[in-house]
Amino acid sequence: MSEAILEVEDLKKHFPVYGGVLRRQVAAVHAVDGVSFDIKKGETTGLVGESGCGKTTLGRTALHLIKPTSGTVRYMGRDISKLSAKKMRRLRLEMAMVFQDPYASLNPRMTIADIIGEPIDIHHLAKGAEKEKRIMELLERVGLVPYHLYRYPHEFSGGQKQRIGIARALVGNPKLLVADEPVSSLDVSVRAQILNLLKDLQKDYGFSCLYISHDLSTVKHMSNRVAVMYVGKLVELAPVKDIFDAPRHPYTRALMSAIPVPGQRRENRIILKGNVPTPINPPTGCRFHPRCYECQPECAKDEPELIEVEKEHFVACHSKKST
């Protein structure tokens, strides 16, 4: 078993909700509520779940872009959850992020040379001709050409903007990359190009990756392992083949049954009843029990732990304890 580059243990992120005349805290959004997992060196871990389940918050909190409410994040064995901003800044080059919206993640007032060059300046990596050479190498590596350097973001397509965002993320030769739905806002014809680019770059640079998406087909293409998230909790974590061929959690099985098959009608589609509960007031016990078709009396009372039911296959479900 390869060594973990990132270890997340009982991570929580609650956002306060204020109300009343005095603007006091009246509730909290349990965006991430006790999540534990790891990412091994050189692997890609996919993170899936419905919109609003806390995937993006988990990715940003794991990188310490958002301060966690509680829990531990270890990067290469070092606890980073309590590091100062100055010490975290030294690690930023090793922990990069590709954002979901390429239109919003690039400063419209900066040229591409300035956008890619900014982290080079901040971390004092190169100057002058060496800096320009480095920027051009990165640009060419992601499939763009030197004459793009002095153009502005509005002059590029969505796919080209995402390539620029990827080039910026690679400035420091990162060891860990968080890709937050990097193709969700792109045309279908461009998505495969960006995904294949990420896989090629991973081979060249050797970074580990947390790939966040709600598109199960891209997760299957990109990932070695898959974590399934529901209302702030992980409900299943397993190698990609096990998740897609033999899902164990009822929610995971419902997700898998919704994958369209070209030219076929899904006869075994699992239709979940009810709506996704609010993370402000999540259900007691198992978060999924109000919609679960295998619900047992204990599901509404006791919160299931994420336990290993098979080798490297973890499930948080009361009905799976004895199977």
Side-chain angles (χ1 to χ4, degrees):
M1 184 179 294
S2 60
E3 183 182 351
I5 191 169
L6 185 75
E7 299 170 275
V8 175
E9 184 177 340
D10 196 27
L11 189 66
K12 297 182 180 181
K13 179 57 188 177
H14 300 168
F15 295 98
V17 177
Y18 299 98
V21 177
L22 300 178
R23 303 297 295 170
R24 294 177 177 174
Q25 182 176 341
V26 295
V29 177
H30 297 71
V32 178
D33 204 16
V35 170
S36 300
F37 71 101
D38 63 9
I39 299 176
K40 297 178 175 60
K41 288 185 178 180
E43 80 163 5
T44 296
T45 297
L47 181 61
V48 303
E50 293 170 286
S51 296
C53 69
K55 302 187 299 297
T56 293
T57 302
L58 176 57
R60 295 190 179 198
T61 307
L63 288 187
H64 210 58
L65 295 176
I66 301 175
K67 186 176 180 180
T69 301
S70 63
T72 303
V73 178
R74 286 186 291 272
Y75 170 71
M76 299 186 69
R78 182 184 183 185
D79 185 358
I80 66 169
S81 50
K82 297 180 181 178
L83 289 182
S84 65
K86 184 178 180 180
K87 291 182 178 179
M88 271 304 305
R89 186 173 180 177
R90 298 171 185 170
L91 292 177
R92 288 295 175 207
L93 286 174
E94 299 181 20
M95 307 166 68
M97 189 164 188
V98 176
F99 296 94
Q100 176 177 355
D101 187 357
Y103 299 89
S105 63
L106 303 179
N107 190 328
R109 298 182 179 180
M110 296 173 69
T111 65
I112 304 311
D114 292 334
I115 289 172
I116 299 176
E118 186 176 34
I120 295 177
D121 292 335
I122 291 173
H123 295 280
H124 309 291
L125 299 178
K127 292 183 178 180
E130 184 182 350
K131 172 186 171 183
E132 185 175 351
K133 179 183 177 183
R134 190 162 185 171
I135 293 172
M136 290 179 65
E137 287 175 349
L138 286 169
L139 208 63
E140 291 175 351
R141 185 61 190 85
V142 298
L144 298 176
V145 291
Y147 70 77
H148 287 140
L149 277 175
Y150 300 103
R151 293 187 175 186
Y152 290 86
H154 73 271
E155 300 179 74
F156 294 89
S157 67
Q160 289 174 319
K161 288 177 183 176
Q162 197 59 289
R163 289 174 187 269
I164 295 165
I166 293 170
R168 179 178 57 187
L170 296 175
V171 162
N173 295 321
K175 296 178 181 177
L176 175 66
L177 182 73
V178 174
D180 182 15
E181 303 209 34
V183 297
S184 64
S185 62
L186 305 180
D187 293 339
V188 175
S189 60
V190 180
R191 292 182 182 183
Q193 298 174 20
I194 299 299
L195 293 176
N196 289 330
L197 172 64
L198 285 171
K199 288 183 76 72
D200 290 342
L201 291 171
Q202 187 174 26
K203 291 178 183 178
D204 294 344
Y205 287 82
F207 56 76
S208 305
C209 183
L210 176 63
Y211 179 78
I212 302 171
S213 181
H214 61 267
D215 185 339
L216 295 171
S217 61
T218 64
V219 169
K220 186 176 183 179
H221 176 69
M222 295 293 295
S223 307
N224 302 107
R225 291 192 299 160
V226 179
V228 182
M229 195 169 184
Y230 185 79
V231 194
K233 293 278 189 180
L234 289 191
V235 297
E236 191 161 1
L237 173 64
V240 63
K241 189 176 188 304
D242 292 348
I243 286 288
F244 282 85
D245 294 348
R248 301 289 296 271
H249 196 280
Y251 176 64
T252 310
R253 292 207 299 268
L255 288 180
M256 296 301 126
S257 75
I259 300 175
V261 178
Q264 297 182 27
R265 181 178 179 181
R266 295 300 297 261
E267 300 293 341
N268 60 342
R269 175 73 188 275
I270 299 173
I271 306 297
L272 298 176
K273 298 180 180 179
N275 299 315
V276 180
T278 171
I280 295 178
N281 185 26
T284 58
C286 175
R287 299 280 169 94
F288 186 61
H289 87 264
R291 306 174 72 195
C292 184
Y293 49 91
E294 294 183 0
C295 185
Q296 302 174 8
E298 63 181 319
C299 298
K301 300 177 182 178
D302 303 321
E303 183 178 314
E305 296 182 6
L306 193 69
I307 60 173
E308 191 171 16
V309 295
E310 293 178 2
K311 185 179 180 181
E312 296 189 14
H313 195 146
F314 298 84
V315 182
C317 182
H318 290 299
S319 66
K320 307 304 171 189
K321 289 181 178 179
S322 58
T323 59

